[in-house]
Amino acid sequence: MREKKPDQDKKSNSIEDVARLAGVSIATVSRVLNKFASVKERNRVKVVNAIKQLRFQPSVFAQRLASGKSNVVALVIPRYEGMFYSFYVLELIRGIGTLCEALKLDLLLQLTDTRTPLNLKAAGGIIFADIIGNRPQLEDAFNAGIPCVVINNYIEDLKVNCIAVDNIGGAEAAVNYLISLGHRKIAHISGDLITQPAALRLQGYTLALKRNEIALRQDYIFKTDYSRGQARQAAEKIIKMDDRPTAVFVSSDSMALEVMAVARELGKEIPKDLSIVGFDDNPSGLYGPVALTTVRQPLVKMAQESVKRLSFLMTAKNAAKVEKTILPTELVIRESASPIGS
Amino acid sequence: MREKKPDQDKKSNSIEDVARLAGVSIATVSRVLNKFASVKERNRVKVVNAIKQLRFQPSVFAQRLASGKSNVVALVIPRYEGMFYSFYVLELIRGIGTLCEALKLDLLLQLTDTRTPLNLKAAGGIIFADIIGNRPQLEDAFNAGIPCVVINNYIEDLKVNCIAVDNIGGAEAAVNYLISLGHRKIAHISGDLITQPAALRLQGYTLALKRNEIALRQDYIFKTDYSRGQARQAAEKIIKMDDRPTAVFVSSDSMALEVMAVARELGKEIPKDLSIVGFDDNPSGLYGPVALTTVRQPLVKMAQESVKRLSFLMTAKNAAKVEKTILPTELVIRESASPIGS
DNA sequence: CTGAAAGCGCTAACAA
DNA sequence: TTGTTAGCGCTTTCAG
């Protein structure tokens, strides 16, 4: 089909050119490319030189087609409103991106609308960051036998690897801490409950109250979409309540900072008039007038762990066993919560 | 080489299976896949049904190998300390990722260490986000004839598409504004000067002073790596200076917020004791006790524009002309700067 | 240790 | 409008 044009017309050189220049067969070049130990040193050097001289780079597409394997890791992030204003996503991308580069894996970033099915042949493995409305995508990939790992979401009913963070424990620790400071009237500003972490944090909050025999008040629970706007509304309501909470556990640091700002605008002092505990350990929390007490979650660790595990799954000969991990969270005590009445 | 196993052993079905089931040739299937208008409706339907029935997804690698084209957009981001603590990167990824999904382009994220050469055959086009120590990567890609667009960096000496932001103008506007408020002693906290935007903002600062016949004082210029830590150090020095500046233009909002925090810790009031103007229009700037006056830069627009242009270059038959764009910035006046002495 | 040659799954000329 | 067929640039058996 394509005309055989003279050499200088060629787009770029192929393994054949390298073979010719090195005076060996393309099979040998391929072996050098793939670091087969069997190639005689003399030939290896010739090939390496030819590659250098021609500035040859193999076609990754041909490699993948011929070998049937690909070193492509797809990172699937469901796109939803507010997603991108979060601390969380960037941390994930940072952790995953950095490790992929180190492990020579190609990172395909898929900000999915959750409806479009993924092309399962595009990647050798998939990391699902959270599962929000895209459970079918996960199941398709799982059923197709593609190595998958889910992060930031604990999936019970599928034999799939997952790595999540101890949201319940973290929330409980936060609320227990407030209780230990003497607070009994503790509000909660939750994140978007379509996300598992937000739901679990709410659960942890509930649990802590129950275990401490504090009655759960629905009017102390404020549901948001994680946005600062909704956090602001919630904060205003809280501060203007008749039976005002003395403390609030907020599902993200970004929202907690907003609560702090609102409180100050309304003439309240933090933590004297309102104790606040956030969730994330977002560095921004450090830099206000009052450093934010928060729950640290190991996002980068989770991200990197997922790449390691996926990389293992992608190269494993025999099916590896499925692991479900929950990484611990840690309460970081700073200044935004204090004993009641202090 | 591979044994012909019975059908149920096949990994997944290929275009051939679809053709067989639909009772047409693979060429016709390929035509349907590629939306050729020439296929008779009757056949098209048969093929579409077969595809559905087999849950067939074409091998993107085979497609790319055979066609010689790829719809892969590589986003190359040089990795450097502090990179990821910036507002900037996420905005970029958000803009580029969203548009790539809409245009059905695959996004390959490359957080490069800047030394490793890129595999030029992995992508059909490349977006370079900033050029920091990876100029050779850009030149290689350019010389290889790969469609490239550079963003957030204005490249003069290469006929390459680029889209940047008016850093000089923005900085000048910020400083002019401070001058219009009566300030004469204006400090500058610069970002990492290995980045072009930081260097240009410093230049804009210098220019504004010169045009207003205010002498440039080297001791009023503080060079940082964009980190909050170094911003803090600079802020402390500024506030403790004998001949203290009355205003400061800071090269990023994140650093500006740090300066604000330090000022308050040291008992200074913003803007009365120190006027501050930042750069970025990072939403975080809105939520402190004093809303940050800043310079807005259209990051998402820059990102999206880059995808559009690259997509055009990747499909253009004939070489398109090179465009170099500088997007305008905009001073956003809020509360952190006020007339001197007020 | 090396080379010849048969694919990998698709696209695109060409012929019909 | 459709089918036949020659590649795309590699990997991998199989012989030698």
Side-chain angles (χ1 to χ4, degrees):
Chain A
M1 67 189 231
R2 276 166 207 74
E3 326 149 48
K4 278 281 165 196
K5 294 196 180 175
D7 252 41
Q8 70 263 30
D9 250 304
K10 291 186 50 182
K11 290 281 183 214
S12 69
N13 23 38
S14 73
I15 198 174
E16 213 181 318
D17 304 298
V18 177
R20 199 177 309 124
L21 181 59
V24 298
S25 72
I26 63 168
T28 297
V29 177
S30 174
R31 292 188 185 106
V32 171
L33 246 28
N34 294 289
K35 308 206 187 305
F36 279 52
S38 70
V39 180
K40 208 188 276 174
E41 180 60 12
R42 200 181 128 59
N43 278 332
R44 210 188 56 76
V45 171
K46 284 200 291 188
V47 169
V48 167
N49 285 336
I51 288 177
K52 213 166 284 172
Q53 190 177 329
L54 296 176
R55 304 172 131 273
F56 168 74
Q57 296 188 308
S59 154
V60 291
F61 305 132
Q63 287 181 314
R64 286 169 193 162
L65 178 58
S67 70
K69 327 170 192 155
S70 100
N71 63 338
V72 177
V73 170
L75 171 57
V76 177
I77 307 182
R79 196 171 51 209
Y80 72 98
E81 204 46 51
M83 179 88 216
F84 268 100
Y85 298 97
S86 81
F87 173 63
Y88 159 75
V89 176
L90 189 51
E91 287 292 287
L92 240 46
I93 292 177
R94 178 158 71 101
I96 291 175
T98 305
L99 200 50
C100 278
E101 212 219 349
L103 299 181
K104 310 253 172 245
L105 297 169
D106 276 358
L107 178 58
L108 194 63
L109 188 59
Q110 317 217 29
L111 305 180
T112 178
D113 60 13
T114 75
R115 280 165 281 122
T116 317
L118 304 171
N119 185 327
L120 269 8
K121 286 181 182 157
I126 307 183
I127 297 175
F128 287 89
D130 239 317
I131 300 295
I132 303 171
N134 62 331
R135 172 81 188 222
Q137 290 179 337
L138 170 61
E139 284 174 11
D140 282 354
F142 180 79
N143 292 331
I146 297 177
C148 291
V149 7
V150 177
I151 58 180
N152 209 35
N153 218 94
Y154 194 90
I155 306 278
E156 307 246 26
D157 55 336
L158 212 55
K159 284 182 88 62
V160 65
N161 278 270
C162 48
I163 310 176
V165 134
D166 186 11
N167 286 295
I168 297 190
E172 234 189 309
V175 176
N176 281 338
Y177 172 64
L178 288 169
I179 293 172
S180 78
L181 294 176
H183 296 278
R184 310 283 297 175
K185 298 199 279 189
I186 302 169
H188 176 50
I189 299 180
S190 88
D192 196 329
L193 294 174
I194 61 167
T195 70
Q196 193 188 57
L200 295 180
R201 288 170 203 171
L202 171 57
Q203 206 174 311
Y205 162 81
T206 309
L207 210 60
L209 293 185
K210 182 167 296 169
R211 293 212 173 130
N212 286 277
E213 297 176 339
I214 298 176
L216 187 70
R217 293 178 53 162
Q218 288 302 331
D219 61 332
Y220 274 11
I221 298 178
F222 297 83
K223 295 173 183 166
T224 75
D225 60 359
Y226 271 126
S227 75
R228 295 187 84 136
Q230 296 203 6
R232 168 163 292 263
Q233 289 175 25
E236 285 168 353
K237 283 189 198 140
I238 288 175
I239 291 169
K240 291 174 178 161
M241 272 181 109
D242 286 335
D243 191 14
R244 185 154 63 81
T246 60
V248 54
F249 165 55
V250 189
S251 212
S252 83
D253 279 359
S254 148
M255 291 200 295
L257 290 174
E258 186 68 14
V259 173
M260 228 190 251
V262 170
R264 269 196 309 269
E265 287 165 22
L266 297 179
K268 302 297 174 197
E269 211 175 296
I270 307 291
K272 191 165 90 49
D273 301 324
L274 185 68
S275 281
I276 302 176
V277 180
F279 206 109
D280 274 350
D281 195 29
N282 182 332
S284 304
L286 274 170
Y287 297 99
V290 177
L292 190 64
T293 290
T294 189
V295 179
R296 174 178 302 154
Q297 49 175 346
L299 291 179
V300 169
K301 180 168 181 191
M302 178 167 76
Q304 297 192 333
E305 182 61 34
S306 71
V307 177
K308 279 186 215 152
R309 200 173 296 176
L310 188 62
S311 153
F312 178 75
L313 292 175
M314 285 167 67
T315 52
K317 316 288 164 205
N318 33 19
K321 71 174 187 303
V322 170
E323 285 180 49
K324 296 185 189 279
T325 309
I326 295 188
L327 299 173
T329 49
E330 179 193 355
L331 182 67
V332 181
I333 296 177
R334 292 201 277 254
E335 309 162 1
S336 63
S338 64
I340 192 165
S342 73
Chain B
M1 69 191 231
R2 278 166 205 72
E3 325 149 50
K4 276 283 166 194
K5 294 195 180 176
D7 252 42
Q8 71 263 32
D9 248 305
K10 290 187 52 184
K11 290 284 181 210
S12 70
N13 23 36
S14 73
I15 197 172
E16 215 180 317
D17 304 297
V18 177
R20 199 176 310 123
L21 180 60
V24 298
S25 72
I26 62 168
T28 297
V29 177
S30 173
R31 291 187 185 106
V32 172
L33 247 28
N34 294 287
K35 308 207 186 305
F36 278 54
S38 70
V39 180
K40 210 188 270 173
E41 181 59 14
R42 198 181 131 58
N43 279 331
R44 207 187 59 75
V45 171
K46 284 199 291 188
V47 169
V48 167
N49 285 335
I51 288 177
K52 215 166 280 172
Q53 191 177 329
L54 296 176
R55 306 173 131 272
F56 167 75
Q57 295 189 309
S59 155
V60 291
F61 305 133
Q63 287 181 314
R64 287 167 192 161
L65 179 58
S67 70
K69 326 169 194 154
S70 100
N71 63 336
V72 177
V73 170
L75 171 57
V76 176
I77 307 182
R79 196 171 52 210
Y80 72 99
E81 204 45 51
M83 179 87 217
F84 268 100
Y85 298 97
S86 80
F87 172 62
Y88 160 74
V89 176
L90 189 52
E91 288 291 289
L92 241 45
I93 292 178
R94 177 157 72 101
I96 292 176
T98 305
L99 201 50
C100 278
E101 212 219 348
L103 299 182
K104 310 253 171 243
L105 297 170
D106 276 358
L107 178 57
L108 191 65
L109 188 59
Q110 318 217 28
L111 306 180
T112 178
D113 62 10
T114 74
R115 279 166 282 123
T116 317
L118 305 172
N119 185 329
L120 269 6
K121 285 180 184 159
I126 307 181
I127 297 175
F128 287 89
D130 238 317
I131 300 296
I132 303 170
N134 62 332
R135 172 79 189 225
Q137 290 179 337
L138 169 61
E139 285 174 10
D140 282 356
F142 179 80
N143 292 332
I146 296 176
C148 292
V149 8
V150 176
I151 58 180
N152 209 37
N153 217 93
Y154 193 90
I155 306 277
E156 307 245 27
D157 55 336
L158 212 55
K159 284 181 92 62
V160 66
N161 278 270
C162 47
I163 309 176
V165 134
D166 186 10
N167 286 295
I168 297 190
E172 234 188 309
V175 176
N176 280 339
Y177 172 63
L178 288 169
I179 293 172
S180 77
L181 295 175
H183 296 277
R184 309 284 294 174
K185 298 198 279 187
I186 303 170
H188 176 49
I189 298 180
S190 89
D192 196 330
L193 295 175
I194 61 168
T195 70
Q196 192 188 58
L200 294 180
R201 289 170 202 170
L202 171 57
Q203 205 174 313
Y205 161 82
T206 309
L207 212 58
L209 293 186
K210 182 168 296 169
R211 292 211 174 130
N212 285 278
E213 297 178 340
I214 297 176
L216 186 70
R217 293 178 52 163
Q218 288 302 330
D219 61 332
Y220 274 12
I221 297 178
F222 298 83
K223 293 171 184 167
T224 75
D225 59 0
Y226 271 125
S227 75
R228 295 188 84 135
Q230 296 204 5
R232 168 162 291 263
Q233 289 176 25
E236 285 168 354
K237 283 189 199 141
I238 288 175
I239 291 169
K240 290 173 178 161
M241 272 182 111
D242 287 335
D243 191 14
R244 185 155 63 80
T246 60
V248 54
F249 165 55
V250 189
S251 212
S252 83
D253 280 358
S254 147
M255 291 200 294
L257 290 173
E258 184 69 13
V259 173
M260 230 190 250
V262 170
R264 269 196 309 268
E265 287 166 23
L266 296 179
K268 301 298 175 197
E269 210 176 296
I270 306 293
K272 190 166 88 52
D273 301 324
L274 185 68
S275 282
I276 302 177
V277 180
F279 206 110
D280 273 350
D281 195 27
N282 183 332
S284 304
L286 274 170
Y287 296 101
V290 177
L292 190 64
T293 290
T294 188
V295 179
R296 173 176 303 153
Q297 49 175 344
L299 292 179
V300 169
K301 178 167 182 191
M302 178 167 75
Q304 296 192 333
E305 183 61 34
S306 72
V307 177
K308 278 186 216 155
R309 201 173 294 175
L310 188 61
S311 152
F312 178 76
L313 292 175
M314 285 168 67
T315 52
K317 317 286 164 208
N318 32 21
K321 71 174 187 303
V322 170
E323 284 181 50
K324 297 185 188 278
T325 309
I326 294 187
L327 300 172
T329 49
E330 179 192 355
L331 183 67
V332 181
I333 296 178
R334 292 200 279 254
E335 309 162 0
S336 62
S338 64
I340 192 165
S342 74

